[in-house]
Amino acid sequence: MSLTQAKSEQELVILRVLFITPYVPNSLRTRPLHFLKVLAPHHEITLLTPVFSQEEANEASQLSSSIPGLKIQSVPLSKWQARLNCLSALSQGWPMQARYCYSPAFVETARRLAGSGDFDLVHIEHLRASYVGQELTRLEVPVVFDSVDCISLLVERTLRHGPLKNKMLSRVELGATRRYERRLMSEGGLNQVYATSQEDAEALEQLGQVRPETVQVVPNGVDVNFFLPPPSDLLREPRSVIFSGKMSYHANATAARYLAKHIWPLVRREEQQAQLWIVGSQPPKDLQNLSGKHGIQVTGYVPDLPAYLRRASLAVAPMIYKVGIQNKVLEAMACATPVITNPEVAEPIVGQAGLEVGRANPHQPARFAAAIVELLQDRAKARGLGEAGRALVVREYTWERAARRLEERWAEATSTRLYSTAGQS
């Protein structure tokens, strides 16, 4: 049943939720943003978030006015305090991620709200806000934790495959992050834990040595009314390839470097007019320096990512390391843009037998390049792959569907039946 179309003989039971994030949800922090967009009009949700600047305070105000029913309470936190928190984490054995947003005022506000009796549930987003959840488990209200990803798994993979400066930081952080997530899982007093993928859920369970299915998978979604296919496949620019994502995120920057250095020259050898667009905010200087060379364009932030995805002939995601579900893949699929990515990236989305995503190992650059060239040259195959990808996303990966799964988990945590027969006493 759609959240917006409850059957006439039933009514939706309204849950009162304190939704705590370590950042103001926005288009780059898309998971909490879309959960709030879908669920706030149907439940009584109060968002509690720190704000690090006047710009973020304005974002929070705009969010409150743009999402019907959502209430927002913010607590100022300076970036200097966040940096000092990271330094103190090193001496106290905390991972910096878990200490970054620490604020006594934030804890006190959360404790006051959660203990008021005005909420059925507290929802905590991300490792950065998890310290608040641990403070609140002493209260009677149920506390659920959306880990999103297994952060220690990401730190471990960064240590093995990331850039040098990230490897150095990961070497310091790995032990502390593992210990912290282990305690959080085994001793945190949380009622439920969520992750975006089965791999991350299993990694968290193994860390905490808890029973299987303790961590529930609540996947990401896509706004399929924003990420739309082009009116005609003829509008796609021939021989154009896109890699998208927030380029300040080290895993994306690493993949972009590898693509440009090891895979793209092999593509250009076969397709001399091929164009590569590296699209995403805050690319490092070395990536910016690639722009204008060998058919590569590095755009930085673009206000309309779907427009680029609709123009591209093909999307690629040669992830050297990753955790969670890759939204860049889902977004390209939603635009009916064919995708080539790692088998381990594709499988959580389409399954072992799925054919909606082309698969190639980026550690075998010749094969990855050959897969790109094949789809650039075989437009019928590329079009079929893109159409099948769009159909899968519309069927399985809308934000409405993901939010409904989260809503059902909330109901379980509060032992509430979401729908009751209308008119019953």
Side-chain angles (χ1 to χ4, degrees), residues 210-228:
V210 294
R211 60 182 177 79
E213 299 183 1
T214 292
V215 186
Q216 297 292 313
V217 176
V218 179
N220 282 340
V222 179
D223 184 345
V224 296
N225 296 315
F226 182 61
F227 289 91
L228 288 165

Side-chain angles (χ1 to χ4, degrees), residues 145-150 185 191-208 210-218 409:
F145 173 51
D146 187 0
S147 178
V148 186
D149 304 320
C150 177
M185 290 297 302
N191 292 77
Q192 291 181 347
V193 179
Y194 316 129
T196 58
S197 76
Q198 189 61 41
E199 178 186 42
D200 288 79
E202 291 174 357
L204 287 168
E205 288 165 351
Q206 290 170 9
L207 271 175
V210 294
R211 60 182 177 79
E213 299 183 1
T214 292
V215 186
Q216 297 292 313
V217 176
V218 179
R409 301 289 84 78

Side-chain angles (χ1 to χ4, degrees), residues 379-395:
R379 293 308 304 153
K381 181 176 180 180
R383 184 166 51 253
L385 202 64
E387 290 172 351
R390 166 73 183 182
L392 176 69
V393 168
V394 170
R395 187 172 68 247

Side-chain angles (χ1 to χ4, degrees), residues 89-321:
L90 294 173
S91 62
Q92 297 173 10
W94 282 57
M96 283 186 278
Q97 283 265 20
R99 201 67 175 173
Y100 182 82
C101 295
Y102 181 78
S103 160
F106 198 65
V107 171
E108 182 54 37
T109 303
R111 187 183 290 118
R112 174 175 55 80
L113 289 171
S116 66
D118 293 337
F119 295 97
D120 304 309
L121 180 79
V122 177
H123 175 105
I124 306 290
E125 160 89 7
H126 202 269
L127 190 75
R128 286 189 177 186
S130 60
Y131 76 92
V132 184
Q134 293 181 80
E135 294 286 342
L136 302 184
T137 55
R138 300 178 180 88
L139 305 176
E140 293 185 2
V141 62
V143 178
V144 301
F145 173 51
D146 187 0
S147 178
V148 186
D149 304 320
C150 177
I151 302 301
S152 59
L153 183 62
L154 174 61
V155 175
E156 176 189 334
R157 290 175 174 176
T158 305
L159 179 59
R160 281 188 282 150
H161 302 294
L164 179 59
K165 67 175 184 179
N166 295 101
K167 283 184 176 181
M168 293 171 64
L169 181 60
S170 297
R171 189 177 301 278
V172 174
E173 283 281 275
L174 182 56
T177 307
R178 278 178 173 162
R179 288 191 297 272
Y180 184 85
E181 284 189 322
R182 183 178 296 117
R183 289 196 304 270
L184 196 62
M185 290 297 302
S186 59
E187 305 169 17
L190 302 165
N191 292 77
Q192 291 181 347
V193 179
Y194 316 129
T196 58
S197 76
Q198 189 61 41
E199 178 186 42
D200 288 79
E202 291 174 357
L204 287 168
E205 288 165 351
Q206 290 170 9
L207 271 175
Q209 296 182 330
V210 294
R211 60 182 177 79
E213 299 183 1
T214 292
V215 186
Q216 297 292 313
V217 176
V218 179
N220 282 340
V222 179
D223 184 345
V224 296
N225 296 315
F226 182 61
F227 289 91
L228 288 165
S232 167
D233 205 52
L234 296 175
L235 297 177
R236 296 189 185 276
E237 295 189 18
R239 301 178 180 85
S240 56
V241 178
I242 185 172
F243 174 68
S244 63
K246 184 179 179 182
M247 292 302 153
S248 58
Y249 175 43
H250 52 84
N252 285 337
T254 298
R257 292 186 187 101
Y258 188 91
L259 170 62
K261 181 178 180 179
H262 297 285
I263 298 173
W264 191 243
L266 302 178
V267 174
R268 290 273 289 189
R269 187 183 300 171
E270 299 296 324
E271 288 286 346
Q272 296 180 7
Q273 301 304 311
Q275 302 292 310
L276 172 61
W277 306 333
I278 298 175
V279 180
S281 62
Q282 300 178 314
K285 188 66 175 178
D286 65 310
L287 285 182
Q288 296 178 40
N289 291 339
L290 295 174
S291 200
K293 303 173 183 177
H294 312 295
I296 299 174
Q297 179 186 0
V298 181
T299 69
Y301 170 78
V302 297
D304 189 359
L305 175 59
Y308 278 82
L309 291 169
R310 283 192 285 270
R311 284 169 49 204
S313 297
L314 174 66
V316 295
M319 305 307 296
I320 304 304
Y321 59 98

